[in-house]
Amino acid sequence: MDTRPLRILLAANAAVFVLVCAAFVLRHICTGLYPEAVESWLDDHEWLMWTAVGIVVSSPMSDSVGNLEDGS
């Protein structure tokens, strides 16, 4: 089975999640970095930040649990 397309898709998804996390981190560290319209959008959509953080953190953890079950 060719898993290359799936790996490309997963890598693209991970990159998007990391970019979302980075945008929110930069917003919290450097106030005034984004224009006012973007600041208000980020305020209204903090769920996106927490969803991205949860997925980024849980992905390696689920992989390591799967490796423990396989015995590797």
Side-chain angles (χ1 to χ4, degrees):
M1 181 174 157
D2 184 22
T3 60
R4 187 166 188 253
L6 181 60
R7 287 184 183 197
I8 291 171
L9 178 64
L10 291 173
N13 284 338
V16 168
F17 285 128
V18 170
L19 287 174
V20 168
C21 291
F24 277 97
V25 166
L26 285 174
R27 179 182 163 267
H28 287 292
I29 292 173
C30 308
T31 56
L33 181 68
Y34 299 114
E36 184 60 35
V38 175
E39 287 280 340
S40 67
W41 188 90
L42 291 173
D43 284 337
D44 294 340
H45 294 87
E46 281 197 7
W47 64 269
L48 184 60
M49 172 185 64
W50 293 113
T51 302
V53 168
I55 291 172
V56 168
V57 168
S58 67
S59 181
M61 289 172 48
S62 65
D63 185 44
S64 63
V65 170
N67 287 340
L68 288 175
E69 291 175 356
D70 293 341
S72 55

